Amino acid sequence: MHIFLRHNSDRIALSTGSPNRLSLGYSEDPRAVASRLPRRGADEPKNVLLLGANGYVGMHMLRELLGDARVATVYALVRRKGDKSGEDRIARQLRKYKMELPDTGKLSVLEGSYLEPAMGLDPAAHDELLAEVDVVIDAAGATTHDYPYARYRQEKVLPTLRLAEFCLQQRFKTLHVIGSVGSEVYQQRRDFYRNSFFYTGYSRMKWVVKHLSLRANRDGVPIHIYQAPFALGGAPTGFKDPGMEYSFWNMISHMLQLGLIWDSEVTSPIVAGDVLARSVVDNALSDAPRAISYPVTPATTREVAERFDLKLVPWQEFRRELLRQHRFRLGQIDWSKPITSIRRGRQQSKFVRSLFPRSFHTLLSNIHHAAANPTIVRLDTDLPSIDVLVNNARRIRKLGKYLPEETVAPVAGAASVPAPPPAAEPAPGEPVAVGAV
């Protein structure tokens, strides 16, 4: 079974802004192939292949899968890095966030990469996956905006087609891909020609993966997409996430420094990592998985303003004051290192403009309306999303000095989880992750 993009149709779709230009070809009818493959009964425990288990979102998926009675075995495919084995890399991530995994004996760690032929495994191990796996969850991939679409095409778009082929060999498998709600910034053709932090090769890749998955699903390929928002820390990590590595927390930092936030009905897309994982796993193990899900628990600007003691102002006023505060001035020059300090100051000013472009309110509105699509997300007890946000903010050193002392949120279900140390800050000008997947 071979699946391929016809005539560079992904690039045509991006240039025209039309997902209808995406075209897939198949060596056989996917529905016919799927119909003749064996599959496990609805009541039988499933074997799951998890990609990206050593990542922030992936470790939440791993924890959820290991604790689910509907799962028999979890194969975690993790690339070896130097002298660090796959198990070492998972263990390091768990220590970093003080997360513990259920000791259920279900975990089998395989060293390999989905980017390599046969996933970088020996023939026996690869054949075992082909014959035994029922569900594939792809939580792997880059989380930075730094590269052009051509690179992400090789690292994510085309490998997604290879994974879809894997799912239609020897045993019927469903493929569940973690996308990004950030790809919803593209709603009109002109959006593909904007230039800012949010309109990049990364978001273009996520847009292509979303529409490619939907097209393949309509054609009978068992692929499902999850438009994940900013994934914050939940109770299992003591409300700790990657902190200032995330663009989301950089935006919150600027709001706190200004003491302002824009007044809008448009919400900010967030979700706790454990809630995201539960939503994905529940859908992946269901008898009839949804083709697309938006596991979003939004927070309103008014909630943020109230909890962080910020003044609500019109968007134009917020952005005008933000740019005024971050305008490069001669007084910022360190005359012992003039060239370096000038470059750094200009980079910072440019980054702020890119993080809050003129079209920022429009792109948030696009995401807001897309995420309003029906989806089922099981919330952790009764902890509102704004409390998840506040609990995370209190654990980030750079934000702590700007938070009002009364900003204390209840921590539902986490009484036994010790508060981790505040997250470290990235160096000035350091690339910032998207804050989702």
Side-chain angles (χ1 to χ4, degrees):
M1 178 68 187
H2 182 50
I3 305 174
F4 54 93
L5 277 165
R6 292 181 181 273
H7 313 300
N8 287 319
S9 63
D10 55 326
R11 292 191 169 102
I12 296 173
L14 288 169
S15 65
T16 59
S18 172
N20 294 327
R21 301 300 295 272
L22 274 171
S23 179
L24 292 172
Y26 305 95
S27 61
E28 297 181 70
D29 179 2
R31 288 189 176 85
V33 173
S35 67
R36 63 175 181 257
L37 290 174
R39 60 186 77 189
R40 233 170 283 278
D43 297 331
E44 294 182 74
K46 306 292 193 295
N47 296 322
V48 180
L49 171 61
L50 175 62
L51 310 180
N54 60 305
Y56 178 71
V57 170
M59 71 177 187
H60 284 90
M61 298 291 175
L62 182 58
R63 176 180 179 272
E64 189 66 29
L65 288 166
L66 292 176
D68 198 307
R70 297 169 293 179
V71 176
T73 303
V74 181
Y75 297 97
L77 184 70
V78 180
R79 180 172 54 87
R80 186 180 186 88
K81 192 173 184 180
D83 61 348
K84 302 296 183 184
S85 67
E87 291 185 353
D88 291 339
R89 297 185 70 194
I90 292 175
R92 182 180 182 277
Q93 188 78 341
L94 294 171
R95 287 194 302 271
K96 179 178 178 181
Y97 292 100
K98 295 183 170 59
M99 178 185 282
E100 295 185 359
L101 297 179
D103 185 12
T104 57
K106 299 179 181 180
L107 179 59
S108 175
V109 179
L110 303 174
E111 290 187 3
S113 169
Y114 70 104
L115 298 177
E116 299 177 18
M119 298 187 179
L121 302 171
D122 62 69
H126 188 247
D127 287 345
E128 180 181 348
L129 294 183
L130 285 172
E132 297 298 331
V133 168
D134 306 287
V135 175
V136 179
I137 297 179
D138 180 10
T143 56
T144 63
H145 292 230
D146 296 346
Y147 307 116
Y149 172 74
R151 173 162 175 167
Y152 293 118
R153 186 180 195 263
Q154 297 299 319
E155 293 182 355
K156 197 65 183 178
V157 176
L158 299 181
T160 298
L161 297 181
R162 303 291 79 78
L163 287 173
E165 293 172 355
F166 173 83
C167 290
L168 290 174
Q169 295 180 54
Q170 292 197 27
R171 171 179 291 279
F172 178 82
K173 312 168 188 68
T174 57
L175 172 59
H176 303 266
V177 180
I178 310 303
S180 172
V181 76
S183 67
E184 304 295 345
V185 299
Y186 297 107
Q187 296 296 323
Q188 302 178 49
R189 182 176 182 178
R190 65 182 180 182
D191 293 332
F192 291 87
Y193 296 91
R194 298 184 189 274
N195 182 27
S196 84
F197 182 82
F198 297 94
Y199 300 96
T200 62
Y202 175 88
S203 54
R204 286 178 172 83
M205 173 271 290
K206 290 293 188 179
W207 182 86
V208 169
V209 169
K210 172 198 170 183
H211 290 288
L212 177 151
S213 299
L214 292 175
R215 173 58 57 86
N217 184 279
R218 289 195 295 270
D219 293 341
V221 179
I223 182 171
H224 311 268
I225 186 78
Y226 301 81
Q227 293 294 81
F230 295 110
L232 308 186
T237 63
F239 298 94
K240 179 184 179 182
D241 63 22
M244 298 306 293
E245 294 177 23
Y246 274 3
S247 60
F248 177 78
W249 291 120
N250 277 260
M251 290 187 282
I252 293 290
S253 175
H254 288 299
M255 297 174 206
L256 292 172
Q257 291 176 57
L258 286 177
L260 304 175
I261 189 172
W262 58 92
D263 190 5
S264 173
E265 296 298 325
V266 173
T267 57
S268 296
I270 61 173
V271 69
D274 55 316
V275 178
L276 170 61
R278 187 173 303 112
S279 175
V280 171
V281 170
D282 280 348
N283 191 55
L285 297 178
S286 67
D287 295 336
R290 295 182 298 277
I292 185 168
S293 299
Y294 290 82
V296 177
T297 57
T300 68
T301 56
R302 291 186 177 93
E303 288 176 321
V304 176
E306 179 182 354
R307 297 299 292 274
F308 291 149
D309 195 21
L310 303 176
K311 180 182 177 182
L312 289 162
V313 297
W315 160 247
Q316 292 83 354
E317 181 180 339
F318 172 86
R319 187 171 188 272
R320 186 168 56 247
E321 181 61 20
L322 177 72
L323 297 186
R324 189 186 70 81
Q325 291 284 347
H326 289 275
R327 187 180 300 125
F328 180 67
R329 298 175 175 83
L330 289 177
Q332 295 176 246
I333 300 176
D334 178 356
W335 292 105
S336 65
K337 300 178 180 178
I339 295 177
T340 301
S341 62
I342 289 172
R343 184 186 296 119
R344 183 174 296 169
R346 287 178 173 172
Q347 285 177 342
Q348 177 64 19
S349 180
K350 181 180 179 181
F351 176 70
V352 171
R353 285 177 175 273
S354 183
L355 198 59
F356 293 94
R358 286 192 178 92
S359 59
F360 183 73
H361 195 267
T362 300
L363 69 87
L364 269 187
S365 181
N366 290 343
I367 293 172
H368 170 85
H369 289 105
N373 285 339
T375 184
I376 300 172
V377 176
R378 219 170 68 204
L379 291 175
D380 240 11
T381 66
D382 58 351
L383 190 64
S385 57
I386 186 61
D387 287 337
V388 172
L389 193 157
V390 170
N391 275 306
N392 277 270
R394 289 174 56 230
R395 285 154 175 79
I396 300 175
R397 184 183 298 113
K398 186 174 180 179
L399 302 185
K401 56 187 175 184
Y402 301 113
L403 294 176
E405 290 185 5
E406 63 273 17
T407 305
V408 178
V411 182
S416 62
V417 180
E425 304 171 23
E430 186 176 311
V432 181
V434 64
V437 182

